[in-house]
Amino acid sequence: MALLPINLIGDKILRKKAVQLKEADMKTIELIRDMFETMHNANGVGLAANQVGSDKSIFIVDLSKVEGHEKDKPLVFINPKIIFRSEEKVNMEEGCLSIPDIRAEIDRPASITISFKDTDFVDCKIDAEKYLARVVQHEYDHLQGILFTDLIGSELKKKVNKDIIKIKKRKIQFQYPVTEDADYQLV
Ligand code: ZN
């Protein structure tokens, strides 16, 4: 297992659409293990593969450290597709390991249904609501090259832009390993 440096806003791979997998080979399983280690080390609840330099269509979620979710099992989503979004929307604060120290309230559908493959490459489908629906939608967006700061209003965007520049220039203290600069990319 290995801790991987996390890509930050400005890194090109965060804007790439993820590539679908044809199988979950050993390399993929190893990547998923490293993603869990990297996410837990950074106290995150979700992580997409492009945040650690891979263009594979994978994200992981683990809410078990969150109050009220202690019994939730870690989840791996391979080739995910959101197939239902509720019309009802909810507002919730979000943050992102690729955009440290910035938080904003975002409107998203209250519940969703997502299909995906698990690590045995078996077709799965889950209905998610509340906090799980929120984290799943945030990570799913990563695989489309979308960051939560794309979804905030223009007023707030002006406010956070300065902080985003600091992140891009690596001018803040990071609590976990990050990539070296905006052009850095794992092969
Ligand atoms: Zn994120």
Side-chain angles (χ1 to χ4, degrees), residues 4 15 17 27 31 33 39 59 71 95 97 101 126 128 130 161 171 182-183 186-187:
L4 303 170
R15 296 305 188 180
K17 212 171 177 309
K27 265 190 115 172
L31 169 68
R33 283 200 198 121
M39 179 180 75
F59 70 79
K71 289 187 177 149
L97 294 178
D101 299 343
I126 59 169
K130 297 181 182 161
N161 267 344
K171 295 276 195 235
D183 294 322
L186 278 175
V187 188

Side-chain angles (χ1 to χ4, degrees), residues 14 46-48 51 94-99 135 138-139 142 146-148:
L14 291 179
L47 188 73
Q51 291 182 276
E94 291 186 29
C96 180
L97 294 178
S98 294
I99 316 172
V135 177
H138 176 112
E139 299 312 325
H142 271 299
I146 299 167
L147 300 171
F148 85 93

